[in-house]
Amino acid sequence: MRHTTITDLAKKLGISASTVSRALSDHPDINDNTKKRVRKLAKEFNYKPNPIAQSLKNNRTTIIGVIVPEIQHDFFASAISGIEEVAYHAGYTIIVCQSNENFEREVINTNALIQQRVAGIVASISQNTNNSDHFKSVIERGIPLVFFDRACEDVSASKVIIDDSKSAFNAVTYLIGIGYKKIAHFAGPKVLEICKRRLAGYSEALNKAHIRISKELICYGGLHETDGYNSMDSLIKKNIIPDAIFAVNDPVAIGAFQRIKEAGLKIPDDIGIVGFSNNKITTLVDPTITTIDQPSFEMGKKAAEILVGLIENKNKSAKPKTVTLETKLIIRGST
Amino acid sequence: MRHTTITDLAKKLGISASTVSRALSDHPDINDNTKKRVRKLAKEFNYKPNPIAQSLKNNRTTIIGVIVPEIQHDFFASAISGIEEVAYHAGYTIIVCQSNENFEREVINTNALIQQRVAGIVASISQNTNNSDHFKSVIERGIPLVFFDRACEDVSASKVIIDDSKSAFNAVTYLIGIGYKKIAHFAGPKVLEICKRRLAGYSEALNKAHIRISKELICYGGLHETDGYNSMDSLIKKNIIPDAIFAVNDPVAIGAFQRIKEAGLKIPDDIGIVGFSNNKITTLVDPTITTIDQPSFEMGKKAAEILVGLIENKNKSAKPKTVTLETKLIIRGST
DNA sequence: ATTTTTCCTGCAAACGTTTGCGATTACGTT
DNA sequence: AACGTAATCGCAAACGTTTGCAGGAAAAAT
């Protein structure tokens, strides 16, 4: 079955394609009666303009590009869902790309989206992104760009983030408040800004409480379960046993959690644990894990809303804005 | 910055656009020397053909549409990731839509993808889909379609599935084998084929072991945690305590798991639990949950591979094939 | 009756690419 | 010398839409 085109309608009505086009877009030049006839036939044949042809004219599609490190990751899956939700209601579809935390692939994806003439891009950068030329060329091309969670600091674009530093500060301050003294931090990749800030919040909390920061209690690693597991493992092997752990995110917390259980230590009595993100999993383990609620779905939604705004107000070259969403310390059984 | 077009190159070289086009596609009509000049300039200006213009000619994009019930669901997030992986390497991008288990939205998404002239569609249907006209019109339009996991039975399309019935049969048979006798089934929506088949496998296993099937041990519900929780809750309130539960999927198993713990019953001693899908979560709770490994990532990959095959071999109108991937019972602490 | 105005509609170009066909040139064959 | 044949290349159309401009007809004004 072929798609009905504007020319098909024109032929059937004995008028020109341009008149049909104008009638459908309610152009004042067109006679009301003609408009009615056109609309009736269009409905009858379920005519929908070919978006490709429109895109060719506008040199722009109605597709929003989304780049995330990993689709599978709870946080991103949820954020994508939020983006899709907003895009759907605004009449856009979303193309989803994953960088797999790989810089080259992020560049390739970005360029592919530019080539595809997406209307805008929502992105969260990979942990290995140390150069932002690809995002700068997005800006240069006049394509609206919004970061969420992990932003590129040296790119002038809007972002939806949380206050990582403050959130971390609050969590660690809470740990100190309930009596923990030897608090370790399982940090993420040093290059990732959000990780730096979480580390900074951790340090600040210790400083404020006049607790000396011990380098051996700060373990750097990745963002996955195995990283938390390994960090805990190496501490145990070095016989350094903290009385609490502030993990850079929930998977890392879970990894540490498992290794602690294997070691026969009790949570929260021997070791307290705080995660970050409020992944579903933290409510399902025993004990449940104290964590910081990071509104992933809302972050996706908000980022998409800003992007749609930028796309549809091309004229108002608004300055990039930064939206900081609230987090919340959720106290559970692990502390 | 503007995109370089084929006409830009033609002008700079003083030749026609058609020659440039042919040179770039290595057409035999074109002089080798010309080809070299063209290729050199194309590289220099980083020329990439405008996919929109190409799409307009072909009346087809290089985008693969993906429709899933929920992006956030572990199984689907993982499958999408697999689809993206294959698509990426084959030079396609993916548009992801979620139906939110809503039939109307699935129809709208499907039509939107048709309008967008996607090259093909990978879909897993919503639990409320009782009509397949929208998928039939995909076929009619000649757009390749592959289902995964949840297929539309009355649509002639390829599918990537698992043997739900056999998997369920094996799991329940295993439960019987290790001594469980009063085995409940927390079933999914009656309309969903995969749920029917899992139920059938459950029944068959009981029959084979000459265990009477008790209607009150079969609880119908949705596919989420709360459904498992509620099913268990109602059993407890009716004072019907099974000695094992076979859940339609892992979230449901987890829900039951929680209610059981709340009731102070011991797993696996008082009640054994078997889930379905091998979601990550099943390895993280205590005790870990016995489940059936369903290769989500591979299912996505396989579906995408079949789809790409169909797209690129338009001529060979191959008959739809059904690929059944192997599942595996993973025995853990809950049984 | 002529001019002006209003109202409606169509022509044609443009977006960037691909491709059938015809045109041109050079070369070898009779 | 006359012709056929490759080897190269360009013209123009096509994909479906939008839009500036021109044009025609009818209505209104002179």
Side-chain angles (χ1 to χ4, degrees):
Chain A
M1 223 176 83
R2 251 187 76 258
H3 290 266
T4 314
T5 75
I6 212 167
T7 336
D8 295 338
L9 298 183
K11 275 184 194 156
K12 283 207 204 299
L13 290 166
I15 58 180
S16 78
S18 42
T19 303
V20 176
S21 173
R22 274 186 268 249
L24 290 172
S25 57
D26 206 23
H27 194 285
D29 270 8
I30 305 298
N31 185 294
D32 279 345
N33 195 35
T34 311
K35 283 184 188 171
K36 276 180 198 158
R37 287 175 57 221
V38 170
R39 283 201 270 257
K40 180 153 173 277
L41 199 72
K43 193 160 199 175
E44 190 179 324
F45 281 78
N46 190 27
Y47 167 78
K48 297 274 162 47
N50 182 336
I52 300 176
Q54 289 180 315
S55 298
L56 185 60
K57 276 244 67 149
N58 308 333
N59 204 25
R60 173 151 64 87
T61 62
T62 57
I63 300 175
I64 289 174
V66 178
I67 304 176
V68 294
E70 294 172 307
I71 297 172
Q72 292 189 61
H73 191 302
D74 240 37
F75 174 78
F76 292 115
S78 173
I80 292 173
S81 186
I83 296 169
E84 202 272 345
E85 197 60 31
V86 172
Y88 173 78
H89 287 110
Y92 294 84
T93 48
I94 63 171
I95 284 189
V96 179
C97 310
Q98 56 187 343
S99 64
N100 285 335
E101 299 282 13
N102 177 313
F103 171 65
E104 286 76 23
R105 187 143 164 191
E106 181 178 291
V107 174
I108 293 175
N109 282 331
T110 308
N111 290 331
L113 292 179
I114 294 177
Q115 286 301 330
Q116 292 263 9
R117 270 67 167 181
V118 292
I121 294 179
V122 180
S124 201
I125 67 175
S126 97
Q127 66 186 38
N128 298 309
T129 299
N130 46 14
N131 176 304
S132 53
D133 289 350
H134 53 308
F135 287 124
K136 284 181 180 158
S137 81
V138 170
I139 305 280
E140 279 174 21
R141 285 240 152 72
I143 300 174
L145 173 65
V146 178
F147 290 112
F148 73 98
D149 196 45
R150 305 191 197 167
C152 232
E153 301 302 320
D154 57 341
V155 174
S156 163
S158 290
K159 29 192 148 172
V160 176
I161 54 174
I162 54 166
D163 193 331
D164 290 287
S165 164
K166 194 178 88 182
S167 306
F169 176 85
N170 289 343
V172 177
T173 299
Y174 154 76
L175 282 175
I176 296 169
I178 56 173
Y180 290 108
K181 296 199 158 52
K182 193 174 174 187
I183 303 170
H185 178 39
F186 288 3
K190 292 182 190 178
V191 291
L192 221 43
E193 288 298 326
I194 58 170
C195 297
K196 283 190 207 166
R197 285 197 283 261
R198 290 174 195 182
L199 171 58
Y202 160 83
S203 303
E204 201 188 331
L206 293 189
N207 280 334
K208 193 167 178 196
H210 305 294
I211 298 178
R212 200 178 61 82
I213 293 170
S214 158
K215 282 204 176 172
E216 54 187 13
L217 286 178
I218 300 178
C219 308
Y220 291 94
L223 296 168
H224 290 110
E225 246 177 81
T226 50
D227 300 302
Y229 186 94
N230 292 338
S231 292
M232 193 65 223
D233 188 60
S234 68
L235 282 187
I236 289 175
K237 284 189 177 139
K238 285 190 273 182
N239 205 22
I240 302 171
I241 309 296
D243 64 4
I245 291 164
F246 169 55
V248 68
N249 70 3
D250 286 335
V252 170
I254 290 286
F257 179 97
Q258 289 188 297
R259 186 64 187 84
I260 291 169
K261 282 204 159 186
E262 281 179 26
L265 296 166
K266 300 278 173 238
I267 299 170
D269 299 334
D270 296 331
I271 303 187
I273 294 190
V274 175
F276 204 117
S277 280
N278 194 19
N279 284 5
K280 172 134 257 169
I281 174 76
T282 55
T283 66
L284 300 175
V285 292
D286 184 25
T288 51
I289 298 182
T290 297
T291 187
I292 294 155
D293 183 51
Q294 187 183 12
S296 49
F297 188 79
E298 284 72 22
M299 288 179 82
K301 276 184 69 171
K302 190 71 200 169
E305 281 164 9
I306 295 176
L307 187 75
V308 170
L310 290 173
I311 293 171
E312 297 180 353
N313 293 306
K314 281 300 234 184
N315 45 343
K316 303 171 196 167
S317 59
K319 264 177 287 182
K321 59 180 162 183
T322 297
V323 174
T324 307
L325 262 48
E326 284 305 312
T327 61
K328 199 174 140 193
L329 181 65
I330 308 221
I331 296 167
R332 298 210 184 93
S334 69
T335 56
Chain B
M1 225 176 83
R2 252 187 73 259
H3 291 266
T4 312
T5 74
I6 213 168
T7 336
D8 294 337
L9 298 183
K11 275 183 192 156
K12 282 207 205 299
L13 291 166
I15 58 180
S16 78
S18 41
T19 304
V20 175
S21 173
R22 275 186 267 250
L24 290 172
S25 57
D26 205 23
H27 195 283
D29 270 8
I30 307 298
N31 185 295
D32 280 344
N33 194 36
T34 310
K35 284 184 188 173
K36 277 180 198 159
R37 288 174 57 222
V38 171
R39 284 200 269 255
K40 182 155 172 275
L41 200 71
K43 193 161 199 173
E44 191 180 322
F45 280 79
N46 190 28
Y47 167 79
K48 297 273 162 49
N50 181 336
I52 300 177
Q54 289 180 314
S55 298
L56 186 59
K57 275 242 67 143
N58 308 332
N59 202 25
R60 172 149 65 88
T61 61
T62 57
I63 300 175
I64 289 174
V66 179
I67 303 176
V68 295
E70 294 173 309
I71 298 172
Q72 291 189 62
H73 191 303
D74 239 38
F75 173 78
F76 292 115
S78 174
I80 292 172
S81 187
I83 296 169
E84 202 273 346
E85 197 61 32
V86 171
Y88 173 79
H89 287 110
Y92 295 84
T93 49
I94 63 170
I95 284 189
V96 178
C97 310
Q98 55 187 343
S99 63
N100 285 333
E101 300 282 13
N102 177 315
F103 171 65
E104 286 75 25
R105 188 144 165 190
E106 182 178 287
V107 173
I108 294 174
N109 283 330
T110 308
N111 290 331
L113 291 179
I114 294 176
Q115 286 302 329
Q116 292 263 8
R117 270 66 168 182
V118 293
I121 294 179
V122 180
S124 201
I125 68 174
S126 98
Q127 65 186 39
N128 299 308
T129 299
N130 46 14
N131 176 304
S132 52
D133 289 349
H134 52 309
F135 287 124
K136 284 180 181 160
S137 81
V138 170
I139 305 279
E140 279 174 22
R141 284 240 151 71
I143 301 174
L145 172 65
V146 178
F147 290 112
F148 73 98
D149 196 43
R150 305 191 198 167
C152 233
E153 301 302 321
D154 57 341
V155 174
S156 162
S158 290
K159 30 193 146 173
V160 177
I161 55 174
I162 54 166
D163 191 331
D164 289 288
S165 163
K166 193 177 88 183
S167 305
F169 176 84
N170 288 343
V172 176
T173 300
Y174 154 77
L175 282 174
I176 296 169
I178 58 173
Y180 290 107
K181 296 199 157 52
K182 193 175 173 186
I183 304 169
H185 177 41
F186 288 2
K190 291 182 191 176
V191 292
L192 220 44
E193 288 297 327
I194 58 171
C195 298
K196 283 190 209 167
R197 285 197 284 259
R198 289 175 196 181
L199 171 59
Y202 160 83
S203 302
E204 200 188 332
L206 293 189
N207 279 336
K208 192 169 177 192
H210 304 296
I211 298 178
R212 200 179 60 83
I213 294 170
S214 156
K215 280 204 175 171
E216 54 187 13
L217 287 178
I218 300 178
C219 308
Y220 292 94
L223 296 168
H224 291 109
E225 245 176 84
T226 49
D227 300 303
Y229 186 93
N230 292 338
S231 292
M232 193 64 223
D233 189 58
S234 68
L235 282 187
I236 289 175
K237 285 192 175 138
K238 284 190 273 183
N239 205 23
I240 304 172
I241 310 295
D243 64 3
I245 292 164
F246 168 56
V248 68
N249 71 1
D250 286 336
V252 169
I254 290 286
F257 179 99
Q258 289 190 297
R259 186 64 187 86
I260 290 169
K261 282 204 160 187
E262 281 179 25
L265 296 166
K266 301 279 173 238
I267 300 170
D269 299 333
D270 297 330
I271 304 188
I273 294 190
V274 175
F276 203 116
S277 280
N278 194 19
N279 284 6
K280 172 136 257 167
I281 174 75
T282 54
T283 66
L284 299 174
V285 291
D286 184 24
T288 51
I289 298 182
T290 297
T291 187
I292 294 155
D293 183 52
Q294 184 182 13
S296 51
F297 188 80
E298 284 71 23
M299 287 178 81
K301 277 184 70 172
K302 190 69 198 170
E305 282 165 7
I306 294 176
L307 187 75
V308 170
L310 289 174
I311 293 171
E312 296 178 353
N313 293 306
K314 283 299 236 181
N315 46 340
K316 302 170 197 164
S317 59
K319 263 177 288 181
K321 59 180 164 183
T322 298
V323 175
T324 307
L325 263 49
E326 284 305 311
T327 60
K328 199 174 139 194
L329 181 66
I330 308 218
I331 296 167
R332 299 212 184 92
S334 69
T335 56

